[in-house]
Amino acid sequence: MSQEFRDDRILVAGEWRKGRGAPIASRFAAEDVENTVLTGASEADVDDAVARAAQAQADPAWQMLKAHERAAHLYRIAEGIAADIERIAWVQSRDTSKTLTETRALATSAAATFRYFGAVLETSDEVLTVPRGDYQTTSVHDPLGVVAAITPWNSPIASDAQKVAPALAAGNAVVLKPASWSPLVSLELARIIEEAGLPAGLFSVLPGSGRAVGNRLVAHPDIAKVSFTGGTATGRHLAKAAAEKLMPVALELGGKSPTIVFADCDTDLAIAGILFGIFSSSGQSCIAGSRLFVQRAIYDSFVPRLVAATRALRLGHPFEPSTQVSSLVHPDHRSEVEGYVAAGIAEGGRVLTGGARPGDADLARGAYYAPTILEGLDNASRICREEIFGPVLVVMPFEDEADVIAQANDNSYGLACGIWSRDYPKSWRIGRAIRAGTVWINTYKQFSIATPFGGDGDSGIGREKGRAGLRAYQRQKSVYTDLSGRPHPWARWPADG
Ligand code: NAD
Protein backbone atom coordinates (compact mmCIF):
# COMPACT_ATOMS: atom_id res chain seq x y z
CA MET A 1 0.00 0.00 0.00
CA SER A 2 1.38 3.36 -1.00
CA GLN A 3 1.61 5.87 1.83
CA GLU A 4 2.22 8.88 -0.35
CA PHE A 5 -0.13 11.73 -1.07
CA ARG A 6 -0.99 12.18 -4.72
CA ASP A 7 -0.39 15.38 -6.67
CA ASP A 8 -2.68 18.38 -6.23
CA ARG A 9 -5.04 17.72 -9.14
CA ILE A 10 -8.78 17.17 -8.80
CA LEU A 11 -11.23 15.37 -11.11
CA VAL A 12 -13.22 18.00 -12.99
CA ALA A 13 -15.41 17.26 -16.00
CA GLY A 14 -13.68 13.98 -16.85
CA GLU A 15 -10.08 15.13 -16.46
CA TRP A 16 -7.56 15.41 -13.66
CA ARG A 17 -6.46 19.02 -13.51
CA LYS A 18 -5.49 21.77 -11.14
CA GLY A 19 -8.47 23.51 -9.66
CA ARG A 20 -8.80 27.22 -10.25
CA GLY A 21 -9.96 28.05 -6.73
CA ALA A 22 -8.26 28.71 -3.41
CA PRO A 23 -5.72 26.15 -2.15
CA ILE A 24 -6.99 23.62 0.39
CA ALA A 25 -4.65 22.24 3.03
CA SER A 26 -5.34 18.81 4.48
CA ARG A 27 -3.94 18.42 8.01
CA PHE A 28 -3.21 15.46 10.26
CA ALA A 29 -4.47 16.92 13.51
CA ALA A 30 -3.26 13.95 15.58
CA GLU A 31 0.33 15.13 14.96
CA ASP A 32 -0.37 18.72 13.94
CA VAL A 33 1.30 18.33 10.54
CA GLU A 34 0.18 19.25 7.06
CA ASN A 35 -0.61 16.30 4.79
CA THR A 36 -0.70 18.08 1.46
CA VAL A 37 -2.15 21.12 -0.28
CA LEU A 38 -4.64 20.78 -3.12
CA THR A 39 -5.77 23.29 -5.66
CA GLY A 40 -9.43 23.71 -4.77
CA ALA A 41 -12.22 24.09 -7.29
CA SER A 42 -13.55 27.47 -8.41
CA GLU A 43 -17.00 28.52 -9.56
CA ALA A 44 -15.77 28.11 -13.16
CA ASP A 45 -14.79 24.51 -12.31
CA VAL A 46 -18.33 23.95 -11.02
CA ASP A 47 -19.74 25.21 -14.31
CA ASP A 48 -17.41 22.95 -16.32
CA ALA A 49 -18.18 19.91 -14.18
CA VAL A 50 -21.96 20.41 -14.37
CA ALA A 51 -21.97 21.03 -18.13
CA ARG A 52 -19.88 17.91 -18.79
CA ALA A 53 -21.98 15.90 -16.33
CA ALA A 54 -25.21 16.91 -18.09
CA GLN A 55 -23.73 15.83 -21.40
CA ALA A 56 -22.46 12.50 -20.06
CA GLN A 57 -25.75 11.84 -18.27
CA ALA A 58 -27.80 12.38 -21.41
CA ASP A 59 -25.46 10.29 -23.57
CA PRO A 60 -27.17 7.12 -24.84
CA ALA A 61 -24.06 5.22 -23.75
CA TRP A 62 -25.26 5.83 -20.17
CA GLN A 63 -28.99 6.38 -20.65
CA MET A 64 -29.63 3.24 -22.68
CA LEU A 65 -27.87 0.87 -20.32
CA LYS A 66 -30.15 -1.85 -19.00
CA ALA A 67 -30.44 -2.01 -15.22
CA HIS A 68 -28.12 -5.01 -14.96
CA GLU A 69 -25.55 -3.26 -17.15
CA ARG A 70 -25.56 -0.12 -15.00
CA ALA A 71 -25.43 -2.33 -11.91
CA ALA A 72 -22.23 -3.88 -13.30
CA HIS A 73 -20.57 -0.44 -13.01
CA LEU A 74 -21.53 -0.29 -9.33
CA TYR A 75 -20.20 -3.79 -8.69
CA ARG A 76 -16.88 -2.87 -10.30
CA ILE A 77 -16.64 0.25 -8.13
CA ALA A 78 -17.41 -1.87 -5.06
CA GLU A 79 -14.61 -4.27 -6.03
CA GLY A 80 -12.24 -1.35 -6.59
CA ILE A 81 -12.95 0.00 -3.10
CA ALA A 82 -12.71 -3.44 -1.50
CA ALA A 83 -9.34 -4.01 -3.17
CA ASP A 84 -8.00 -0.73 -1.80
CA ILE A 85 -9.29 -0.67 1.78
CA GLU A 86 -5.86 -0.10 3.35
CA ARG A 87 -5.02 2.86 1.12
CA ILE A 88 -8.46 4.47 1.60
CA ALA A 89 -8.30 3.92 5.36
CA TRP A 90 -4.84 5.44 5.61
CA VAL A 91 -5.81 8.51 3.57
CA GLN A 92 -8.99 9.03 5.59
CA SER A 93 -7.17 8.59 8.90
CA ARG A 94 -4.59 11.17 7.82
CA ASP A 95 -7.37 13.52 6.72
CA THR A 96 -9.62 13.17 9.78
CA SER A 97 -7.42 11.67 12.55
CA LYS A 98 -9.93 8.86 12.98
CA THR A 99 -8.49 5.50 14.04
CA LEU A 100 -7.44 3.11 11.31
CA THR A 101 -9.79 0.54 12.84
CA GLU A 102 -12.69 2.87 12.17
CA THR A 103 -11.64 4.09 8.73
CA ARG A 104 -11.14 0.48 7.56
CA ALA A 105 -14.71 -0.21 8.65
CA LEU A 106 -15.97 2.91 6.84
CA ALA A 107 -14.19 1.92 3.62
CA THR A 108 -15.62 -1.60 3.87
CA SER A 109 -19.09 -0.15 4.34
CA ALA A 110 -18.61 2.09 1.28
CA ALA A 111 -17.86 -0.98 -0.86
CA ALA A 112 -20.98 -2.66 0.53
CA THR A 113 -23.06 0.42 -0.30
CA PHE A 114 -22.08 0.28 -3.99
CA ARG A 115 -22.75 -3.47 -4.06
CA TYR A 116 -26.12 -3.02 -2.36
CA PHE A 117 -27.37 -0.32 -4.72
CA GLY A 118 -26.23 -2.38 -7.72
CA ALA A 119 -28.37 -5.20 -6.36
CA VAL A 120 -31.30 -2.88 -5.59
CA LEU A 121 -31.18 -1.55 -9.14
CA GLU A 122 -31.16 -5.02 -10.63
CA THR A 123 -34.09 -6.17 -8.51
CA SER A 124 -36.31 -3.06 -8.59
CA ASP A 125 -39.49 -3.73 -10.54
CA GLU A 126 -41.61 -1.14 -12.27
CA VAL A 127 -45.26 -1.71 -11.40
CA LEU A 128 -48.44 -2.13 -13.37
CA THR A 129 -51.01 -0.10 -11.46
CA VAL A 130 -54.72 -0.90 -11.34
CA PRO A 131 -56.51 0.57 -14.38
CA ARG A 132 -60.07 2.02 -14.41
CA GLY A 133 -60.62 1.77 -18.14
CA ASP A 134 -59.48 -0.06 -21.24
CA TYR A 135 -55.88 0.95 -20.87
CA GLN A 136 -52.80 -0.28 -19.14
CA THR A 137 -51.25 1.91 -16.44
CA THR A 138 -47.57 1.68 -15.59
CA SER A 139 -45.46 3.66 -13.18
CA VAL A 140 -41.84 4.01 -14.28
CA HIS A 141 -38.82 5.80 -12.83
CA ASP A 142 -36.42 8.06 -14.71
CA PRO A 143 -33.17 9.67 -13.52
CA LEU A 144 -33.22 13.26 -12.31
CA GLY A 145 -30.17 14.45 -14.30
CA VAL A 146 -27.14 15.91 -12.49
CA VAL A 147 -27.11 15.50 -8.72
CA ALA A 148 -24.96 17.55 -6.33
CA ALA A 149 -23.69 15.60 -3.32
CA ILE A 150 -22.29 17.70 -0.47
CA THR A 151 -20.67 15.87 2.43
CA PRO A 152 -19.12 16.64 5.85
CA TRP A 153 -15.68 15.76 7.20
CA ASN A 154 -16.58 13.21 9.83
CA SER A 155 -17.05 10.00 7.76
CA PRO A 156 -16.43 11.08 4.17
CA ILE A 157 -16.01 7.76 2.34
CA ALA A 158 -19.20 6.38 3.89
CA SER A 159 -21.30 9.51 3.42
CA ASP A 160 -19.97 9.95 -0.13
CA ALA A 161 -20.95 6.37 -0.99
CA GLN A 162 -24.42 6.76 0.50
CA LYS A 163 -25.13 9.48 -2.03
CA VAL A 164 -22.99 8.59 -5.04
CA ALA A 165 -24.00 4.90 -5.22
CA PRO A 166 -27.81 5.35 -5.36
CA ALA A 167 -27.52 8.45 -7.55
CA LEU A 168 -25.41 6.63 -10.17
CA ALA A 169 -27.55 3.50 -9.89
CA ALA A 170 -30.58 5.66 -10.65
CA GLY A 171 -28.96 6.81 -13.90
CA ASN A 172 -27.76 10.27 -12.86
CA ALA A 173 -24.42 12.05 -13.07
CA VAL A 174 -22.93 13.27 -9.76
CA VAL A 175 -20.84 16.25 -8.75
CA LEU A 176 -19.45 15.66 -5.27
CA LYS A 177 -18.22 18.43 -2.97
CA PRO A 178 -16.34 17.12 0.08
CA ALA A 179 -15.66 19.22 3.17
CA SER A 180 -12.54 21.40 3.19
CA TRP A 181 -11.05 19.54 6.17
CA SER A 182 -11.31 16.16 4.43
CA PRO A 183 -10.82 16.46 0.65
CA LEU A 184 -8.47 13.53 0.09
CA VAL A 185 -10.58 10.42 0.43
CA SER A 186 -13.24 11.66 -2.01
CA LEU A 187 -10.46 12.05 -4.60
CA GLU A 188 -9.41 8.44 -3.91
CA LEU A 189 -13.01 7.46 -4.63
CA ALA A 190 -12.82 9.44 -7.88
CA ARG A 191 -9.73 7.50 -8.91
CA ILE A 192 -11.38 4.17 -8.14
CA ILE A 193 -14.55 5.12 -10.01
CA GLU A 194 -12.51 6.20 -13.03
CA GLU A 195 -10.47 2.97 -12.96
CA ALA A 196 -13.72 1.00 -12.76
CA GLY A 197 -14.59 2.38 -16.20
CA LEU A 198 -17.47 4.75 -15.49
CA PRO A 199 -17.93 6.97 -18.57
CA ALA A 200 -15.86 10.16 -18.29
CA GLY A 201 -17.63 13.24 -16.96
CA LEU A 202 -20.33 11.35 -15.04
CA PHE A 203 -18.52 11.93 -11.77
CA SER A 204 -16.53 14.96 -10.62
CA VAL A 205 -15.05 15.77 -7.21
CA LEU A 206 -14.74 19.47 -6.38
CA PRO A 207 -13.02 20.22 -3.08
CA GLY A 208 -13.62 23.83 -2.13
CA SER A 209 -15.33 26.10 0.31
CA GLY A 210 -19.06 25.95 0.91
CA ARG A 211 -19.32 29.63 0.15
CA ALA A 212 -17.78 29.44 -3.34
CA VAL A 213 -18.14 25.88 -4.65
CA GLY A 214 -21.15 24.82 -2.57
CA ASN A 215 -23.26 27.90 -3.25
CA ARG A 216 -22.52 27.80 -6.98
CA LEU A 217 -23.40 24.12 -7.19
CA VAL A 218 -26.70 24.53 -5.41
CA ALA A 219 -27.72 27.55 -7.46
CA HIS A 220 -26.66 26.04 -10.79
CA PRO A 221 -29.70 25.72 -13.07
CA ASP A 222 -28.64 22.26 -14.30
CA ILE A 223 -28.38 20.71 -10.84
CA ALA A 224 -31.57 18.70 -10.37
CA LYS A 225 -31.19 17.71 -6.72
CA VAL A 226 -28.93 18.39 -3.77
CA SER A 227 -28.20 15.62 -1.35
CA PHE A 228 -26.55 17.12 1.70
CA THR A 229 -25.06 15.78 4.92
CA GLY A 230 -23.76 18.34 7.39
CA GLY A 231 -24.75 20.88 9.99
CA THR A 232 -28.27 22.18 10.53
CA ALA A 233 -27.43 25.83 9.79
CA THR A 234 -25.94 24.89 6.41
CA GLY A 235 -28.87 22.58 5.70
CA ARG A 236 -31.34 25.37 6.36
CA HIS A 237 -29.42 27.66 3.98
CA LEU A 238 -29.46 24.98 1.26
CA ALA A 239 -33.17 24.34 1.71
CA LYS A 240 -33.86 28.03 1.08
CA ALA A 241 -31.68 28.00 -2.05
CA ALA A 242 -33.43 24.84 -3.25
CA ALA A 243 -36.84 26.45 -2.68
CA GLU A 244 -35.91 29.21 -5.14
CA LYS A 245 -35.41 26.60 -7.85
CA LEU A 246 -38.20 24.28 -6.66
CA MET A 247 -35.52 21.62 -6.49
CA PRO A 248 -35.72 18.54 -4.26
CA VAL A 249 -33.22 18.53 -1.43
CA ALA A 250 -32.32 15.76 1.00
CA LEU A 251 -30.88 16.90 4.32
CA GLU A 252 -29.02 14.67 6.79
CA LEU A 253 -28.23 17.09 9.62
CA GLY A 254 -27.10 17.21 13.20
CA GLY A 255 -28.35 15.55 16.37
CA LYS A 256 -28.55 15.73 20.16
CA SER A 257 -29.65 12.17 20.71
CA PRO A 258 -31.01 10.88 24.02
CA THR A 259 -29.94 7.58 25.56
CA ILE A 260 -32.35 6.23 28.17
CA VAL A 261 -31.25 3.80 30.89
CA PHE A 262 -34.02 2.10 32.86
CA ALA A 263 -33.44 0.57 36.29
CA ASP A 264 -34.23 -2.89 34.87
CA CYS A 265 -31.45 -2.85 32.26
CA ASP A 266 -28.40 -5.08 32.03
CA THR A 267 -25.96 -2.45 33.30
CA ASP A 268 -22.82 -3.93 31.69
CA LEU A 269 -24.50 -3.99 28.28
CA ALA A 270 -25.71 -0.46 28.82
CA ILE A 271 -22.31 0.91 29.88
CA ALA A 272 -20.53 -0.67 26.88
CA GLY A 273 -23.20 0.68 24.52
CA ILE A 274 -23.18 4.17 26.02
CA LEU A 275 -19.37 4.42 25.78
CA PHE A 276 -19.47 3.37 22.14
CA GLY A 277 -22.43 5.64 21.42
CA ILE A 278 -20.80 8.85 22.65
CA PHE A 279 -17.02 8.34 22.71
CA SER A 280 -16.28 6.34 19.52
CA SER A 281 -15.13 8.68 16.73
CA SER A 282 -14.29 11.03 19.64
CA GLY A 283 -17.98 11.97 19.64
CA GLN A 284 -17.73 13.44 16.12
CA SER A 285 -20.80 11.60 15.01
CA CYS A 286 -24.24 12.95 14.09
CA ILE A 287 -25.89 10.13 16.04
CA ALA A 288 -23.70 10.47 19.15
CA GLY A 289 -25.77 9.67 22.24
CA SER A 290 -24.90 12.95 23.94
CA ARG A 291 -27.78 13.29 26.45
CA LEU A 292 -27.94 10.42 28.94
CA PHE A 293 -31.07 9.92 31.06
CA VAL A 294 -30.63 7.44 33.93
CA GLN A 295 -33.61 6.31 36.03
CA ARG A 296 -33.30 7.80 39.50
CA ALA A 297 -33.53 4.40 41.25
CA ILE A 298 -30.09 3.37 39.88
CA TYR A 299 -28.56 6.81 39.21
CA ASP A 300 -26.20 6.79 42.22
CA SER A 301 -24.83 3.31 41.50
CA PHE A 302 -24.81 3.49 37.69
CA VAL A 303 -23.08 6.83 37.12
CA PRO A 304 -19.88 6.06 39.11
CA ARG A 305 -19.48 2.79 37.16
CA LEU A 306 -19.94 4.67 33.89
CA VAL A 307 -17.35 7.24 34.98
CA ALA A 308 -14.86 4.49 35.89
CA ALA A 309 -15.40 2.81 32.51
CA THR A 310 -14.88 6.13 30.74
CA ARG A 311 -11.58 6.71 32.57
CA ALA A 312 -10.41 3.28 31.36
CA LEU A 313 -10.87 4.19 27.67
CA ARG A 314 -7.60 4.28 25.75
CA LEU A 315 -6.89 7.67 24.30
CA GLY A 316 -4.16 7.55 21.68
CA HIS A 317 -2.71 7.86 18.22
CA PRO A 318 -5.08 6.84 15.42
CA PHE A 319 -2.59 4.31 14.00
CA GLU A 320 -2.19 2.51 17.34
CA PRO A 321 -4.46 -0.59 17.20
CA SER A 322 -5.43 -0.35 20.89
CA THR A 323 -6.67 3.26 20.58
CA GLN A 324 -10.35 3.78 21.28
CA VAL A 325 -10.51 7.58 21.36
CA SER A 326 -8.33 9.53 18.94
CA SER A 327 -7.62 13.16 18.15
CA LEU A 328 -10.37 15.50 17.04
CA VAL A 329 -10.36 16.50 13.38
CA HIS A 330 -8.80 19.94 13.83
CA PRO A 331 -7.47 22.16 16.64
CA ASP A 332 -10.19 24.72 15.82
CA HIS A 333 -12.83 22.07 16.39
CA ARG A 334 -11.27 21.17 19.74
CA SER A 335 -11.52 24.84 20.73
CA GLU A 336 -15.26 24.72 19.97
CA VAL A 337 -15.65 21.61 22.12
CA GLU A 338 -13.74 23.28 24.95
CA GLY A 339 -16.02 26.29 24.64
CA TYR A 340 -19.07 24.07 25.11
CA VAL A 341 -17.62 22.39 28.21
CA ALA A 342 -16.85 25.84 29.67
CA ALA A 343 -20.45 26.87 28.93
CA GLY A 344 -21.72 23.76 30.73
CA ILE A 345 -19.59 24.53 33.78
CA ALA A 346 -20.77 28.15 33.74
CA GLU A 347 -24.36 26.91 33.85
CA GLY A 348 -23.62 24.84 36.97
CA GLY A 349 -22.37 21.59 35.44
CA ARG A 350 -19.93 19.42 37.44
CA VAL A 351 -17.21 17.58 35.51
CA LEU A 352 -17.18 13.93 36.63
CA THR A 353 -14.31 12.99 34.32
CA GLY A 354 -12.34 14.62 31.50
CA GLY A 355 -13.08 18.27 30.86
CA ALA A 356 -9.49 18.87 29.71
CA ARG A 357 -6.81 17.98 27.18
CA PRO A 358 -4.98 14.78 28.15
CA GLY A 359 -1.79 15.29 30.18
CA ASP A 360 0.15 12.63 28.22
CA ALA A 361 3.25 14.23 26.62
CA ASP A 362 2.96 11.94 23.55
CA LEU A 363 -0.38 13.47 22.72
CA ALA A 364 0.49 17.09 23.43
CA ARG A 365 0.88 18.08 19.77
CA GLY A 366 -2.44 16.58 18.62
CA ALA A 367 -5.98 17.93 18.94
CA TYR A 368 -6.90 15.44 21.65
CA TYR A 369 -9.62 15.97 24.23
CA ALA A 370 -10.37 13.62 27.10
CA PRO A 371 -13.75 11.83 27.15
CA THR A 372 -15.88 14.05 29.35
CA ILE A 373 -18.97 13.51 31.51
CA LEU A 374 -20.89 16.32 33.18
CA GLU A 375 -23.81 16.18 35.60
CA GLY A 376 -25.87 18.73 37.48
CA LEU A 377 -27.26 20.30 34.30
CA ASP A 378 -30.84 20.65 33.22
CA ASN A 379 -32.07 19.37 29.85
CA ALA A 380 -32.76 23.02 29.00
CA SER A 381 -29.09 24.00 29.39
CA ARG A 382 -27.20 25.14 26.32
CA ILE A 383 -25.00 22.04 26.08
CA CYS A 384 -28.10 19.83 26.20
CA ARG A 385 -29.68 21.82 23.37
CA GLU A 386 -26.80 22.36 20.95
CA GLU A 387 -24.78 19.73 19.13
CA ILE A 388 -21.19 19.65 20.44
CA PHE A 389 -19.84 17.02 18.01
CA GLY A 390 -17.17 16.00 20.49
CA PRO A 391 -16.57 13.49 23.34
CA VAL A 392 -18.90 15.20 25.83
CA LEU A 393 -21.77 13.48 27.63
CA VAL A 394 -24.31 15.12 29.94
CA VAL A 395 -25.98 12.75 32.41
CA MET A 396 -29.36 13.53 34.02
CA PRO A 397 -31.78 11.59 36.21
CA PHE A 398 -35.40 10.80 35.31
CA GLU A 399 -38.34 9.46 37.29
CA ASP A 400 -40.63 7.43 35.03
CA GLU A 401 -41.71 6.81 31.43
CA ALA A 402 -43.71 10.00 31.07
CA ASP A 403 -40.89 12.10 32.51
CA VAL A 404 -38.22 10.66 30.21
CA ILE A 405 -40.38 10.87 27.08
CA ALA A 406 -41.04 14.54 27.82
CA GLN A 407 -37.35 15.31 28.48
CA ALA A 408 -36.00 13.31 25.54
CA ASN A 409 -38.43 14.95 23.11
CA ASP A 410 -37.81 18.43 24.49
CA ASN A 411 -35.15 19.19 21.87
CA SER A 412 -35.20 20.56 18.34
CA TYR A 413 -33.30 17.55 16.90
CA GLY A 414 -34.80 14.16 16.08
CA LEU A 415 -32.05 11.89 14.79
CA ALA A 416 -31.54 8.89 17.09
CA CYS A 417 -32.33 7.40 20.48
CA GLY A 418 -30.97 4.55 22.61
CA ILE A 419 -33.02 2.57 25.13
CA TRP A 420 -31.58 0.16 27.68
CA SER A 421 -34.10 -2.11 29.44
CA ARG A 422 -34.91 -5.80 29.84
CA ASP A 423 -38.62 -4.97 29.38
CA TYR A 424 -39.20 -5.29 25.64
CA PRO A 425 -42.82 -3.99 25.49
CA LYS A 426 -41.75 -0.92 27.48
CA SER A 427 -38.76 -0.31 25.20
CA TRP A 428 -40.98 -0.60 22.15
CA ARG A 429 -43.50 1.82 23.67
CA ILE A 430 -40.80 4.38 24.49
CA GLY A 431 -39.13 3.93 21.12
CA ARG A 432 -42.41 4.70 19.34
CA ALA A 433 -42.98 7.78 21.51
CA ILE A 434 -39.58 9.38 20.95
CA ARG A 435 -39.15 11.67 17.97
CA ALA A 436 -36.15 10.12 16.17
CA GLY A 437 -35.37 8.65 12.76
CA THR A 438 -33.59 5.68 14.36
CA VAL A 439 -34.15 3.95 17.71
CA TRP A 440 -31.74 1.38 19.11
CA ILE A 441 -32.97 -0.98 21.83
CA ASN A 442 -30.21 -2.59 23.92
CA THR A 443 -27.65 -1.59 21.28
CA TYR A 444 -26.41 1.65 19.75
CA LYS A 445 -24.82 2.97 16.55
CA GLN A 446 -25.46 -0.19 14.54
CA PHE A 447 -26.17 0.22 10.83
CA SER A 448 -27.46 -1.78 7.94
CA ILE A 449 -27.39 -0.31 4.43
CA ALA A 450 -30.76 -2.04 3.90
CA THR A 451 -32.39 -0.01 6.70
CA PRO A 452 -33.54 3.58 6.02
CA PHE A 453 -31.72 6.34 7.90
CA GLY A 454 -32.49 10.02 8.41
CA GLY A 455 -33.77 12.58 10.86
CA ASP A 456 -36.76 14.67 11.81
CA GLY A 457 -37.01 18.29 12.94
CA ASP A 458 -33.61 20.01 12.93
CA SER A 459 -32.02 16.65 12.04
CA GLY A 460 -33.21 16.84 8.47
CA ILE A 461 -35.57 15.90 5.69
CA GLY A 462 -35.69 12.59 3.83
CA ARG A 463 -34.17 9.15 4.26
CA GLU A 464 -31.11 7.49 2.77
CA LYS A 465 -30.30 3.77 2.44
CA GLY A 466 -32.77 0.94 1.98
CA ARG A 467 -34.50 0.03 -1.28
CA ALA A 468 -36.28 3.40 -1.36
CA GLY A 469 -32.84 5.05 -1.35
CA LEU A 470 -32.69 4.46 -5.11
CA ARG A 471 -36.08 6.10 -5.69
CA ALA A 472 -34.87 9.26 -3.94
CA TYR A 473 -32.74 9.93 -7.04
CA GLN A 474 -35.44 9.29 -9.64
CA ARG A 475 -38.60 10.96 -10.89
CA GLN A 476 -41.72 8.91 -11.22
CA LYS A 477 -43.72 8.87 -14.41
CA SER A 478 -47.12 7.29 -15.07
CA VAL A 479 -47.79 5.90 -18.54
CA TYR A 480 -51.31 5.10 -19.82
CA THR A 481 -51.48 2.85 -22.90
CA ASP A 482 -54.81 2.29 -24.70
CA LEU A 483 -55.83 -1.35 -25.09
CA SER A 484 -59.29 -0.81 -26.67
CA GLY A 485 -58.34 0.42 -30.16
CA ARG A 486 -61.56 2.55 -30.13
CA PRO A 487 -61.70 6.37 -30.60
CA HIS A 488 -62.84 8.30 -27.53
CA PRO A 489 -66.69 8.50 -27.66
CA TRP A 490 -66.70 12.17 -26.56
CA ALA A 491 -65.18 13.19 -29.91
CA ARG A 492 -67.95 11.44 -31.95
CA TRP A 493 -65.29 10.84 -34.53
CA PRO A 494 -65.11 9.52 -37.15
CA ALA A 495 -68.66 10.81 -37.81
CA ASP A 496 -69.89 7.57 -39.34
CA GLY A 497 -68.06 5.42 -36.73
P1 NAD B 1 -21.02 21.76 7.57
O1 NAD B 1 -22.48 22.00 7.47
O2 NAD B 1 -20.15 22.86 8.05
O3 NAD B 1 -20.44 21.33 6.16
C1 NAD B 1 -20.95 20.22 5.43
C2 NAD B 1 -20.64 20.42 3.97
O4 NAD B 1 -21.39 21.54 3.49
C3 NAD B 1 -19.17 20.72 3.67
O5 NAD B 1 -18.80 20.11 2.45
C4 NAD B 1 -19.20 22.24 3.54
O6 NAD B 1 -18.12 22.75 2.78
C5 NAD B 1 -20.52 22.43 2.83
N1 NAD B 1 -21.07 23.79 2.89
C6 NAD B 1 -20.90 24.71 3.86
N2 NAD B 1 -21.56 25.85 3.54
C7 NAD B 1 -22.17 25.63 2.34
C8 NAD B 1 -22.98 26.42 1.48
N3 NAD B 1 -23.30 27.68 1.78
N4 NAD B 1 -23.45 25.86 0.34
C9 NAD B 1 -23.14 24.59 0.03
N5 NAD B 1 -22.34 23.80 0.78
C10 NAD B 1 -21.86 24.32 1.94
O7 NAD B 1 -20.83 20.46 8.48
P2 NAD B 1 -19.47 19.78 8.96
O8 NAD B 1 -18.90 20.61 10.07
O9 NAD B 1 -18.61 19.46 7.79
O10 NAD B 1 -20.00 18.39 9.53
C11 NAD B 1 -20.51 18.23 10.80
C12 NAD B 1 -22.02 18.24 10.79
O11 NAD B 1 -22.50 17.20 9.92
C13 NAD B 1 -22.61 17.94 12.15
O12 NAD B 1 -23.67 18.82 12.41
C14 NAD B 1 -23.13 16.53 12.00
O13 NAD B 1 -24.18 16.21 12.88
C15 NAD B 1 -23.56 16.50 10.59
N6 NAD B 1 -23.65 15.11 10.10
C16 NAD B 1 -24.91 14.58 9.89
C17 NAD B 1 -25.03 13.24 9.49
C18 NAD B 1 -26.39 12.62 9.25
O14 NAD B 1 -26.42 11.62 8.53
N7 NAD B 1 -27.46 13.14 9.79
C19 NAD B 1 -23.89 12.47 9.29
C20 NAD B 1 -22.64 13.06 9.51
C21 NAD B 1 -22.54 14.38 9.92
Side-chain angles (χ1 to χ4, degrees):
M1 186 226 355
S2 147
Q3 291 199 341
E4 298 284 318
F5 295 106
R6 296 181 198 278
D7 63 29
D8 63 350
R9 290 174 303 161
I10 59 177
L11 182 63
V12 184
E15 61 175 287
W16 289 93
R17 64 191 201 196
K18 285 182 189 288
R20 288 169 282 174
I24 295 183
S26 155
R27 290 194 75 75
F28 187 34
E31 294 181 2
D32 195 27
V33 292
E34 190 169 270
N35 292 320
T36 185
V37 180
L38 292 172
T39 58
S42 66
E43 294 184 355
D45 290 324
V46 172
D47 293 347
D48 286 358
V50 176
R52 183 74 179 87
Q55 201 182 40
Q57 196 274 333
D59 192 321
W62 181 241
Q63 275 318 297
M64 301 312 285
L65 289 182
K66 303 281 181 288
H68 67 281
E69 294 167 337
R70 210 156 63 225
H73 279 286
L74 279 99
Y75 297 142
R76 278 196 297 276
I77 296 168
E79 280 166 26
I81 296 172
D84 222 1
I85 297 287
E86 287 303 313
R87 162 88 194 162
I88 296 168
W90 178 77
V91 168
Q92 183 156 338
S93 285
R94 289 291 302 240
D95 229 359
T96 61
S97 291
K98 284 193 159 196
T99 64
L100 272 180
T101 318
E102 185 180 344
T103 52
R104 282 189 189 113
L106 290 170
T108 304
S109 87
T113 300
F114 276 93
R115 217 174 286 124
Y116 175 79
F117 278 109
V120 168
L121 172 63
E122 281 202 81
T123 58
S124 284
D125 296 327
E126 302 291 17
V127 292
L128 282 178
T129 54
V130 182
R132 293 200 163 214
D134 291 336
Y135 46 75
Q136 185 187 63
T137 45
T138 319
S139 192
V140 295
H141 295 85
D142 295 330
L144 297 169
V146 184
V147 169
I150 302 179
T151 52
W153 47 262
N154 66 322
S155 305
I157 190 72
S159 42
D160 292 357
Q162 272 168 37
K163 299 179 186 316
V164 177
L168 288 178
N172 301 288
V174 183
V175 179
L176 169 66
K177 195 204 89 61
S180 301
W181 281 348
S182 60
L184 299 182
V185 83
S186 304
L187 291 164
E188 293 292 325
L189 180 64
R191 176 185 53 79
I192 289 168
I193 288 181
E194 187 185 46
E195 287 169 5
L198 195 78
L202 273 176
F203 183 58
S204 287
V205 176
L206 306 183
S209 76
R211 204 165 296 119
V213 176
N215 278 342
R216 178 69 192 153
L217 253 183
V218 174
H220 197 291
D222 291 337
I223 290 292
K225 171 168 180 159
V226 170
S227 178
F228 172 78
T229 298
T232 300
T234 316
R236 198 165 267 130
H237 167 77
L238 297 187
K240 285 180 190 155
E244 278 302 313
K245 288 170 63 183
L246 288 182
M247 170 180 67
V249 59
L251 303 174
E252 297 281 356
L253 309 178
K256 195 74 210 179
S257 299
T259 298
I260 300 168
V261 176
F262 281 100
D264 61 9
C265 74
D266 178 323
T267 52
D268 286 328
L269 279 189
I271 287 172
I274 291 163
L275 294 179
F276 182 61
I278 180 65
F279 297 128
S280 61
S281 313
S282 304
Q284 301 166 119
S285 166
C286 56
I287 38 144
S290 51
R291 289 183 296 148
L292 179 64
F293 297 99
V294 180
Q295 196 157 26
R296 185 157 332 255
I298 60 163
Y299 187 93
D300 289 340
S301 57
F302 185 87
V303 173
R305 290 190 68 210
L306 178 68
V307 168
T310 302
R311 290 196 179 122
L313 290 172
R314 299 184 78 125
L315 197 63
H317 192 278
F319 293 167
E320 174 58 51
S322 63
T323 294
Q324 291 166 286
V325 181
S326 180
S327 164
L328 298 180
V329 67
H330 198 279
D332 293 352
H333 183 52
R334 178 174 61 182
S335 301
E336 285 174 32
V337 172
E338 288 174 328
Y340 272 114
V341 173
I345 294 168
E347 280 194 86
R350 291 184 297 281
V351 175
L352 299 180
T353 185
R357 301 176 184 190
D360 191 332
D362 289 350
L363 306 180
R365 276 198 305 150
Y368 293 88
Y369 194 73
T372 298
I373 302 180
L374 290 110
E375 71 168 0
L377 285 162
D378 187 83
N379 186 44
S381 64
R382 182 171 159 223
I383 70 166
C384 285
R385 301 227 153 258
E386 296 179 19
E387 183 182 45
I388 300 175
F389 222 59
V392 181
L393 177 68
V394 178
V395 53
M396 292 165 280
F398 74 91
E399 304 300 332
D400 54 23
E401 283 186 38
D403 177 28
V404 81
I405 291 170
Q407 291 201 64
N409 281 342
D410 183 14
N411 195 275
S412 64
Y413 292 106
L415 194 56
C417 170
I419 299 167
W420 297 90
S421 167
R422 285 193 174 93
D423 181 339
Y424 179 70
K426 177 171 72 184
S427 304
W428 176 261
R429 218 166 38 237
I430 302 284
R432 296 302 299 264
I434 300 292
R435 186 174 70 149
T438 299
V439 171
W440 286 287
I441 297 174
N442 292 330
T443 185
Y444 203 88
K445 222 175 167 182
Q446 299 301 304
F447 283 118
S448 161
I449 184 62
T451 307
F453 176 79
D456 300 322
D458 281 357
S459 295
I461 301 172
R463 295 289 179 267
E464 288 188 322
K465 305 185 179 178
R467 293 184 68 80
L470 179 72
R471 298 300 188 213
Y473 291 96
Q474 293 175 317
R475 54 180 109 244
Q476 197 166 15
K477 179 183 287 170
S478 297
V479 182
Y480 287 66
T481 309
D482 177 72
L483 298 177
S484 74
R486 289 191 303 275
H488 198 287
W490 180 90
R492 297 184 194 152
W493 184 264
D496 56 356

